[in-house]
Amino acid sequence: MTENQRLNFLFNRQLQYLNSTEEKEEFILLMADPINEEQVKQLLNSYWEEFDENEFSPAVFLFGDGEKMLSKIQSENIYPLPKARRKPKLWIGIAAALAIMLFGASLFYLKQNAGLADTKAYIKPGSAGATLKLANGKTIKLSAAVNGELANEAGVTITKTTNGQLVYEIKGTTSPDQINTLSTSNGETYQVRLPDGSLVWLNSASSLSYSTALVQSGKRSVKLLGEAYFEIAKDTKHPFIVKTGNQEVEVLGTHFNVNAYDNESQAKTTLLEGSVKIKNKANQKIISPGEQATVTGDDISVEKVNTGYAVDWKNGVFRFTDKTLEAGMLEVARWYNVQVIYKRPELKNEILGGRISKYASITQVLKKMAITGAFRFTVKDREIIVE
Protein backbone atom coordinates (compact mmCIF):
# COMPACT_ATOMS: atom_id res chain seq x y z
CA MET A 1 0.00 0.00 0.00
CA THR A 2 1.48 3.35 -1.07
CA GLU A 3 1.37 6.47 1.09
CA ASN A 4 -1.38 7.89 -1.15
CA GLN A 5 -3.42 4.70 -0.78
CA ARG A 6 -2.84 4.71 2.98
CA LEU A 7 -4.13 8.27 3.30
CA ASN A 8 -7.23 7.40 1.26
CA PHE A 9 -7.82 4.34 3.44
CA LEU A 10 -7.48 6.26 6.73
CA PHE A 11 -9.59 9.16 5.43
CA ASN A 12 -12.46 6.82 4.62
CA ARG A 13 -12.12 5.05 7.97
CA GLN A 14 -12.20 8.43 9.73
CA LEU A 15 -15.45 9.31 7.97
CA GLN A 16 -16.90 6.06 9.32
CA TYR A 17 -15.49 6.75 12.80
CA LEU A 18 -13.44 3.53 12.62
CA ASN A 19 -9.85 4.74 13.08
CA SER A 20 -8.09 3.41 16.16
CA THR A 21 -6.06 5.77 18.35
CA GLU A 22 -2.87 4.81 16.51
CA GLU A 23 -4.54 5.17 13.12
CA LYS A 24 -5.84 8.62 14.08
CA GLU A 25 -2.30 9.69 14.96
CA GLU A 26 -1.00 8.34 11.65
CA PHE A 27 -3.91 10.00 9.81
CA ILE A 28 -3.16 13.36 11.41
CA LEU A 29 0.50 13.14 10.42
CA LEU A 30 -0.35 12.27 6.82
CA MET A 31 -2.99 15.01 6.61
CA ALA A 32 -0.56 17.58 8.00
CA ASP A 33 2.36 16.71 5.74
CA PRO A 34 2.64 19.49 3.10
CA ILE A 35 3.64 16.85 0.55
CA ASN A 36 0.09 15.49 0.71
CA GLU A 37 -1.62 18.88 0.32
CA GLU A 38 -2.98 18.27 -3.18
CA GLN A 39 -4.28 14.83 -2.26
CA VAL A 40 -6.01 16.24 0.83
CA LYS A 41 -7.73 18.86 -1.33
CA GLN A 42 -8.89 16.15 -3.72
CA LEU A 43 -10.23 14.03 -0.86
CA LEU A 44 -12.25 16.95 0.50
CA ASN A 45 -13.62 17.77 -2.95
CA SER A 46 -14.48 14.14 -3.56
CA TYR A 47 -16.23 13.86 -0.20
CA TRP A 48 -18.34 16.92 -0.92
CA GLU A 49 -19.33 15.59 -4.36
CA GLU A 50 -20.58 12.33 -2.83
CA PHE A 51 -22.03 13.85 0.32
CA ASP A 52 -25.67 13.03 1.11
CA GLU A 53 -27.02 15.33 3.83
CA ASN A 54 -29.82 12.85 4.50
CA GLU A 55 -27.30 10.21 5.60
CA PHE A 56 -24.89 12.52 7.39
CA SER A 57 -23.89 11.40 10.86
CA PRO A 58 -22.98 14.24 13.27
CA ALA A 59 -20.77 11.79 15.19
CA VAL A 60 -18.20 11.90 12.42
CA PHE A 61 -17.15 15.51 12.99
CA LEU A 62 -16.94 18.18 15.65
CA PHE A 63 -19.72 20.74 15.46
CA GLY A 64 -20.13 24.31 16.60
CA ASP A 65 -20.70 27.68 14.98
CA GLY A 66 -19.72 26.73 11.44
CA GLU A 67 -19.22 30.26 10.09
CA LYS A 68 -17.00 31.35 12.98
CA MET A 69 -14.92 28.17 12.78
CA LEU A 70 -14.50 28.51 9.05
CA SER A 71 -13.45 32.15 9.37
CA LYS A 72 -10.93 31.27 12.07
CA ILE A 73 -9.45 28.41 10.06
CA GLN A 74 -9.18 30.41 6.84
CA SER A 75 -7.47 33.24 8.71
CA GLU A 76 -4.80 30.73 9.77
CA ASN A 77 -4.03 29.94 6.10
CA ILE A 78 -5.21 26.36 6.29
CA TYR A 79 -5.85 24.63 2.98
CA PRO A 80 -8.52 26.41 0.88
CA LEU A 81 -11.80 24.54 0.72
CA PRO A 82 -14.07 23.90 -2.28
CA LYS A 83 -16.96 26.29 -2.80
CA ALA A 84 -20.43 25.29 -1.66
CA ARG A 85 -22.80 24.08 -4.33
CA ARG A 86 -25.63 22.89 -2.10
CA LYS A 87 -27.11 24.18 1.11
CA PRO A 88 -24.64 26.93 2.15
CA LYS A 89 -25.08 26.71 5.91
CA LEU A 90 -24.80 22.94 5.95
CA TRP A 91 -21.71 23.03 3.76
CA ILE A 92 -20.08 25.66 5.95
CA GLY A 93 -20.53 23.44 8.98
CA ILE A 94 -19.14 20.38 7.22
CA ALA A 95 -16.29 22.30 5.59
CA ALA A 96 -15.38 23.83 8.91
CA ALA A 97 -15.44 20.48 10.63
CA LEU A 98 -13.24 18.94 7.94
CA ALA A 99 -10.92 21.94 8.02
CA ILE A 100 -10.64 21.68 11.80
CA MET A 101 -9.24 18.22 11.25
CA LEU A 102 -6.57 19.85 9.09
CA PHE A 103 -6.10 22.72 11.53
CA GLY A 104 -5.56 20.31 14.40
CA ALA A 105 -3.29 18.24 12.21
CA SER A 106 -1.20 21.27 11.33
CA LEU A 107 -0.77 22.22 14.99
CA PHE A 108 0.12 18.63 15.83
CA TYR A 109 2.63 18.52 12.99
CA LEU A 110 4.33 21.72 14.15
CA LYS A 111 4.66 20.40 17.70
CA GLN A 112 6.58 17.33 16.55
CA ASN A 113 9.85 19.18 15.81
CA ALA A 114 11.60 17.91 18.95
CA GLY A 115 14.20 15.27 18.18
CA LEU A 116 14.95 16.29 14.61
CA ALA A 117 17.56 18.94 13.92
CA ASP A 118 17.08 19.23 10.15
CA THR A 119 13.50 19.12 8.91
CA LYS A 120 14.24 20.46 5.42
CA ALA A 121 15.49 17.17 4.02
CA TYR A 122 12.99 15.03 2.17
CA ILE A 123 13.81 11.39 1.54
CA LYS A 124 11.18 9.38 -0.27
CA PRO A 125 9.99 6.10 1.29
CA GLY A 126 10.44 2.83 -0.58
CA SER A 127 8.09 1.37 -3.16
CA ALA A 128 7.34 -1.79 -5.11
CA GLY A 129 10.34 -2.86 -7.16
CA ALA A 130 12.83 -5.69 -7.65
CA THR A 131 15.27 -7.23 -10.10
CA LEU A 132 14.69 -10.67 -11.59
CA LYS A 133 17.77 -12.61 -12.72
CA LEU A 134 16.91 -15.47 -15.07
CA ALA A 135 18.82 -18.74 -15.41
CA ASN A 136 20.37 -17.54 -18.70
CA GLY A 137 21.90 -14.53 -16.93
CA LYS A 138 19.39 -11.97 -18.24
CA THR A 139 18.20 -9.42 -15.67
CA ILE A 140 14.85 -7.63 -15.68
CA LYS A 141 14.19 -4.48 -13.65
CA LEU A 142 10.59 -5.12 -12.62
CA SER A 143 9.70 -1.55 -11.68
CA ALA A 144 10.46 -0.52 -15.27
CA ALA A 145 9.05 -3.62 -16.99
CA VAL A 146 5.68 -3.35 -18.71
CA ASN A 147 2.83 -5.55 -17.53
CA GLY A 148 2.41 -8.89 -19.32
CA GLU A 149 4.69 -11.77 -20.23
CA LEU A 150 8.32 -11.13 -19.32
CA ALA A 151 9.96 -14.42 -20.22
CA ASN A 152 9.30 -18.00 -21.27
CA GLU A 153 12.04 -20.40 -20.29
CA ALA A 154 12.31 -24.12 -19.59
CA GLY A 155 8.54 -24.62 -19.82
CA VAL A 156 7.72 -21.77 -17.44
CA THR A 157 5.98 -18.50 -18.34
CA ILE A 158 6.85 -15.49 -16.17
CA THR A 159 4.32 -12.65 -16.11
CA LYS A 160 4.04 -9.28 -14.40
CA THR A 161 0.43 -8.55 -13.42
CA THR A 162 -1.30 -5.16 -13.39
CA ASN A 163 -0.94 -4.95 -9.59
CA GLY A 164 2.82 -5.50 -9.83
CA GLN A 165 2.95 -9.17 -8.81
CA LEU A 166 5.38 -11.60 -10.45
CA VAL A 167 3.62 -14.83 -11.50
CA TYR A 168 5.15 -18.16 -12.57
CA GLU A 169 3.11 -20.69 -14.54
CA ILE A 170 4.32 -24.11 -15.67
CA LYS A 171 3.30 -24.73 -19.29
CA GLY A 172 5.64 -27.48 -20.36
CA THR A 173 8.57 -29.66 -19.30
CA THR A 174 10.65 -27.89 -16.67
CA SER A 175 14.24 -28.30 -15.57
CA PRO A 176 15.30 -28.21 -11.89
CA ASP A 177 18.65 -26.71 -12.96
CA GLN A 178 17.06 -23.46 -14.14
CA ILE A 179 17.55 -21.12 -11.16
CA ASN A 180 15.93 -17.67 -10.94
CA THR A 181 16.74 -15.02 -8.34
CA LEU A 182 14.36 -12.25 -7.31
CA SER A 183 16.17 -9.51 -5.38
CA THR A 184 15.18 -6.20 -3.83
CA SER A 185 17.50 -3.30 -3.09
CA ASN A 186 17.18 -0.85 -0.22
CA GLY A 187 13.84 0.92 -0.64
CA GLU A 188 12.17 -1.89 -2.60
CA THR A 189 9.67 -4.64 -1.81
CA TYR A 190 7.98 -7.16 -4.10
CA GLN A 191 5.49 -10.02 -4.27
CA VAL A 192 5.87 -13.24 -6.26
CA ARG A 193 3.57 -16.18 -6.91
CA LEU A 194 5.62 -19.33 -7.36
CA PRO A 195 4.73 -22.16 -9.79
CA ASP A 196 2.90 -24.12 -7.05
CA GLY A 197 0.70 -21.13 -6.19
CA SER A 198 2.60 -20.17 -3.04
CA LEU A 199 2.83 -16.42 -2.37
CA VAL A 200 5.97 -14.68 -1.14
CA TRP A 201 6.36 -11.04 -0.06
CA LEU A 202 10.01 -9.99 -0.20
CA ASN A 203 11.20 -7.20 2.09
CA SER A 204 13.87 -4.61 1.26
CA ALA A 205 17.49 -5.68 0.70
CA SER A 206 16.48 -9.33 0.31
CA SER A 207 16.70 -12.06 -2.31
CA LEU A 208 14.87 -15.29 -3.09
CA SER A 209 16.43 -17.98 -5.31
CA TYR A 210 14.45 -20.95 -6.66
CA SER A 211 14.24 -23.41 -9.50
CA THR A 212 11.69 -22.56 -12.19
CA ALA A 213 10.38 -26.09 -11.56
CA LEU A 214 10.43 -25.32 -7.80
CA VAL A 215 10.54 -29.06 -6.97
CA GLN A 216 14.00 -30.55 -6.42
CA SER A 217 14.57 -34.07 -5.07
CA GLY A 218 10.91 -34.36 -4.06
CA LYS A 219 10.87 -31.05 -2.17
CA ARG A 220 9.88 -27.51 -3.01
CA SER A 221 12.95 -25.51 -2.12
CA VAL A 222 13.91 -21.81 -2.04
CA LYS A 223 16.91 -19.93 -0.66
CA LEU A 224 16.31 -16.67 1.23
CA LEU A 225 18.66 -13.86 2.14
CA GLY A 226 16.98 -11.12 4.16
CA GLU A 227 13.29 -11.18 5.08
CA ALA A 228 10.14 -12.60 3.48
CA TYR A 229 6.59 -13.54 4.38
CA PHE A 230 5.29 -16.84 2.98
CA GLU A 231 1.81 -18.20 2.32
CA ILE A 232 2.53 -21.75 1.20
CA ALA A 233 0.15 -23.75 -1.00
CA LYS A 234 -0.61 -27.14 0.56
CA ASP A 235 1.10 -30.13 -1.05
CA THR A 236 1.57 -33.12 1.25
CA LYS A 237 3.78 -34.88 -1.30
CA HIS A 238 6.27 -32.05 -1.57
CA PRO A 239 7.34 -30.30 1.66
CA PHE A 240 8.36 -26.66 1.25
CA ILE A 241 11.88 -25.77 2.42
CA VAL A 242 13.18 -22.25 3.08
CA LYS A 243 16.97 -22.22 3.40
CA THR A 244 18.81 -19.33 5.02
CA GLY A 245 22.43 -18.94 6.09
CA ASN A 246 22.33 -21.26 9.11
CA GLN A 247 18.85 -22.80 9.21
CA GLU A 248 16.13 -24.57 7.28
CA VAL A 249 12.40 -24.03 7.71
CA GLU A 250 10.28 -26.99 6.57
CA VAL A 251 6.50 -26.79 6.03
CA LEU A 252 3.64 -28.49 4.19
CA GLY A 253 1.20 -25.58 3.96
CA THR A 254 1.27 -22.58 6.25
CA HIS A 255 1.74 -18.82 6.77
CA PHE A 256 4.99 -17.64 8.33
CA ASN A 257 7.63 -14.91 8.31
CA VAL A 258 11.39 -15.43 8.12
CA ASN A 259 13.84 -12.67 9.07
CA ALA A 260 17.41 -13.70 8.29
CA TYR A 261 19.51 -10.72 7.26
CA ASP A 262 23.27 -11.25 7.04
CA ASN A 263 23.98 -8.13 9.10
CA GLU A 264 21.84 -9.30 12.03
CA SER A 265 23.04 -11.83 14.60
CA GLN A 266 19.77 -13.78 14.83
CA ALA A 267 17.38 -15.43 12.38
CA LYS A 268 13.72 -15.34 13.41
CA THR A 269 10.85 -17.45 12.09
CA THR A 270 7.35 -16.43 13.18
CA LEU A 271 4.41 -18.76 12.58
CA LEU A 272 0.91 -17.42 11.93
CA GLU A 273 -0.82 -20.56 10.69
CA GLY A 274 0.03 -24.27 10.36
CA SER A 275 3.18 -25.94 11.67
CA VAL A 276 6.86 -25.61 10.77
CA LYS A 277 10.10 -27.31 11.68
CA ILE A 278 13.21 -25.20 12.28
CA LYS A 279 16.56 -26.95 12.11
CA ASN A 280 20.26 -26.22 11.89
CA LYS A 281 23.38 -28.37 12.19
CA ALA A 282 22.94 -28.91 15.94
CA ASN A 283 19.23 -28.67 16.81
CA GLN A 284 15.68 -28.70 15.54
CA LYS A 285 12.39 -27.41 16.92
CA ILE A 286 8.75 -27.60 15.79
CA ILE A 287 6.75 -24.44 16.44
CA SER A 288 3.01 -23.79 16.58
CA PRO A 289 0.95 -20.74 15.55
CA GLY A 290 1.73 -17.73 17.73
CA GLU A 291 5.32 -18.83 18.33
CA GLN A 292 8.63 -17.48 17.12
CA ALA A 293 11.84 -19.48 16.78
CA THR A 294 15.10 -17.56 17.15
CA VAL A 295 18.31 -19.11 15.86
CA THR A 296 21.52 -17.76 17.39
CA GLY A 297 24.55 -19.80 16.34
CA ASP A 298 23.65 -23.43 17.09
CA ASP A 299 20.95 -22.51 19.62
CA ILE A 300 17.21 -22.45 18.80
CA SER A 301 14.87 -20.79 21.28
CA VAL A 302 11.06 -20.65 21.02
CA GLU A 303 8.68 -18.14 22.60
CA LYS A 304 5.11 -16.91 22.31
CA VAL A 305 4.85 -13.58 20.47
CA ASN A 306 2.39 -11.18 18.93
CA THR A 307 2.68 -12.45 15.36
CA GLY A 308 1.22 -9.22 13.99
CA TYR A 309 4.43 -7.43 14.97
CA ALA A 310 6.49 -9.72 12.72
CA VAL A 311 4.42 -9.03 9.60
CA ASP A 312 3.71 -5.32 10.09
CA TRP A 313 6.37 -4.58 7.47
CA LYS A 314 4.30 -6.47 4.87
CA ASN A 315 1.26 -4.41 5.80
CA GLY A 316 3.08 -1.10 5.35
CA VAL A 317 3.87 -0.34 9.00
CA PHE A 318 7.02 0.22 11.06
CA ARG A 319 6.49 -1.46 14.43
CA PHE A 320 9.05 -0.21 16.97
CA THR A 321 7.50 -1.78 20.07
CA ASP A 322 10.27 -3.09 22.38
CA LYS A 323 12.90 -2.79 19.66
CA THR A 324 16.30 -1.22 20.21
CA LEU A 325 17.18 1.94 18.33
CA GLU A 326 19.75 -0.05 16.36
CA ALA A 327 17.14 -2.60 15.24
CA GLY A 328 14.66 0.13 14.32
CA MET A 329 17.24 2.10 12.38
CA LEU A 330 18.25 -0.99 10.40
CA GLU A 331 14.66 -1.16 9.12
CA VAL A 332 14.56 2.56 8.38
CA ALA A 333 17.91 2.43 6.57
CA ARG A 334 16.79 -0.42 4.33
CA TRP A 335 13.44 1.15 3.47
CA TYR A 336 14.56 4.74 2.89
CA ASN A 337 17.98 3.74 1.50
CA VAL A 338 20.00 5.85 3.93
CA GLN A 339 23.18 5.52 5.99
CA VAL A 340 22.99 5.72 9.80
CA ILE A 341 25.83 7.20 11.86
CA TYR A 342 25.90 7.03 15.66
CA LYS A 343 27.79 9.79 17.49
CA ARG A 344 27.44 7.74 20.68
CA PRO A 345 27.42 3.93 20.20
CA GLU A 346 25.58 3.38 23.50
CA LEU A 347 22.47 4.94 21.95
CA LYS A 348 22.01 1.80 19.87
CA ASN A 349 20.55 0.08 22.93
CA GLU A 350 17.84 2.68 23.62
CA ILE A 351 14.38 1.07 23.59
CA LEU A 352 11.73 2.34 21.18
CA GLY A 353 7.94 2.09 21.07
CA GLY A 354 4.95 2.79 18.86
CA ARG A 355 4.19 2.32 15.18
CA ILE A 356 3.90 4.48 12.06
CA SER A 357 3.19 4.05 8.36
CA LYS A 358 6.17 3.03 6.23
CA TYR A 359 4.87 5.53 3.67
CA ALA A 360 5.20 8.49 6.01
CA SER A 361 7.94 11.01 5.28
CA ILE A 362 11.33 10.35 6.86
CA THR A 363 10.81 13.34 9.17
CA GLN A 364 7.59 11.87 10.56
CA VAL A 365 9.24 8.51 11.18
CA LEU A 366 12.26 10.01 12.94
CA LYS A 367 10.09 12.25 15.10
CA LYS A 368 8.10 9.20 16.15
CA MET A 369 11.29 7.38 17.10
CA ALA A 370 12.73 10.35 19.01
CA ILE A 371 9.60 11.03 21.05
CA THR A 372 11.30 9.90 24.31
CA GLY A 373 13.88 12.68 24.01
CA ALA A 374 16.78 10.30 24.77
CA PHE A 375 18.44 11.10 21.43
CA ARG A 376 17.99 13.31 18.39
CA PHE A 377 18.51 13.00 14.65
CA THR A 378 20.16 15.19 12.04
CA VAL A 379 19.47 14.48 8.38
CA LYS A 380 22.15 15.43 5.84
CA ASP A 381 21.68 14.26 2.26
CA ARG A 382 21.17 10.49 2.66
CA GLU A 383 22.82 10.27 6.08
CA ILE A 384 21.00 10.14 9.41
CA ILE A 385 23.17 11.16 12.34
CA VAL A 386 22.09 9.97 15.80
CA GLU A 387 23.32 11.92 18.82
Side-chain angles (χ1 to χ4, degrees), residues 58-133:
V60 176
F61 302 113
L62 300 173
F63 269 86
D65 188 320
E67 293 186 20
K68 287 184 179 179
M69 288 192 293
L70 185 59
S71 175
K72 169 66 175 175
I73 291 162
Q74 289 177 334
S75 70
E76 298 289 346
N77 297 317
I78 303 304
Y79 310 127
L81 296 163
K83 295 180 180 179
R85 279 173 284 183
R86 300 186 188 178
K87 297 179 181 179
K89 289 186 178 179
L90 180 60
W91 164 237
I92 286 173
I94 298 167
L98 283 167
I100 279 179
M101 294 165 65
L102 299 177
F103 181 61
S106 300
L107 293 178
F108 182 87
Y109 187 75
L110 292 172
K111 291 178 181 178
Q112 300 305 303
N113 289 328
L116 189 64
D118 182 3
T119 58
K120 295 180 181 179
Y122 176 65
I123 298 171
K124 293 177 64 176
S127 60
T131 300
L132 176 65
K133 184 177 181 180

Side-chain angles (χ1 to χ4, degrees), residues 3 7 27-38 40 79 105-106 109 122 359-364:
E3 180 174 340
L7 179 52
F27 174 62
I28 286 173
L29 286 169
L30 289 174
M31 290 278 280
D33 193 333
I35 294 166
N36 297 326
E37 180 176 352
E38 287 304 314
V40 169
Y79 310 127
S106 300
Y109 187 75
Y122 176 65
Y359 299 98
S361 68
I362 189 71
T363 56
Q364 292 172 336

Side-chain angles (χ1 to χ4, degrees), residues 153-362:
E153 59 167 27
V156 175
T157 299
I158 306 169
T159 306
K160 179 185 175 184
T161 66
T162 54
N163 64 356
Q165 183 188 74
L166 194 65
V167 176
Y168 281 73
E169 292 181 279
I170 298 177
K171 294 189 175 180
T173 303
T174 59
S175 170
D177 298 327
Q178 300 289 314
I179 303 298
N180 286 183
T181 299
L182 180 67
S183 59
T184 55
S185 301
N186 285 342
E188 292 184 325
T189 184
Y190 214 78
Q191 183 184 1
V192 58
R193 191 177 80 190
L194 297 173
D196 67 334
S198 295
L199 296 175
V200 183
W201 286 258
L202 201 60
N203 204 350
S204 301
S206 303
S207 69
L208 189 74
S209 298
Y210 43 89
S211 163
T212 54
L214 193 60
V215 177
Q216 294 178 302
S217 302
K219 296 181 179 181
R220 296 172 289 170
S221 181
V222 301
K223 182 178 180 181
L224 171 68
L225 295 175
E227 184 170 21
Y229 173 76
F230 297 83
E231 292 187 356
I232 304 303
K234 292 184 178 180
D235 182 349
T236 56
K237 294 181 179 179
H238 302 100
F240 195 102
I241 308 294
V242 180
K243 298 179 180 179
T244 67
N246 63 341
Q247 71 171 12
E248 285 189 6
V249 180
E250 180 178 337
V251 304
L252 292 176
T254 188
H255 299 181
F256 62 100
N257 190 82
V258 178
N259 182 312
Y261 284 103
D262 283 345
N263 61 346
E264 297 188 23
S265 60
Q266 299 176 324
K268 295 184 177 181
T269 301
T270 309
L271 183 62
L272 285 78
E273 179 183 307
S275 178
V276 303
K277 180 192 296 183
I278 316 295
K279 64 179 180 180
N280 57 19
K281 294 180 180 179
N283 293 290
Q284 68 176 35
K285 294 281 180 71
I286 295 176
I287 63 174
S288 301
E291 294 182 334
Q292 182 179 82
T294 301
V295 175
T296 309
D298 290 338
D299 182 61
I300 303 176
S301 61
V302 178
E303 64 177 337
K304 283 280 188 182
V305 296
N306 184 328
T307 57
Y309 290 6
V311 297
D312 269 337
W313 69 267
K314 181 183 77 72
N315 298 322
V317 174
F318 283 120
R319 169 72 70 170
F320 297 126
T321 307
D322 296 330
K323 286 183 179 177
T324 63
L325 176 60
E326 182 178 28
M329 290 308 295
L330 280 173
E331 294 181 34
V332 170
R334 284 192 287 261
W335 186 235
Y336 289 91
N337 191 22
V338 294
Q339 298 279 329
V340 181
I341 299 172
Y342 294 89
K343 286 293 186 72
R344 292 185 291 145
E346 65 270 19
L347 291 176
K348 295 180 180 181
N349 297 319
E350 290 288 336
I351 301 299
L352 304 174
R355 65 195 289 274
I356 191 170
S357 169
K358 289 178 65 175
Y359 299 98
S361 68
I362 189 71

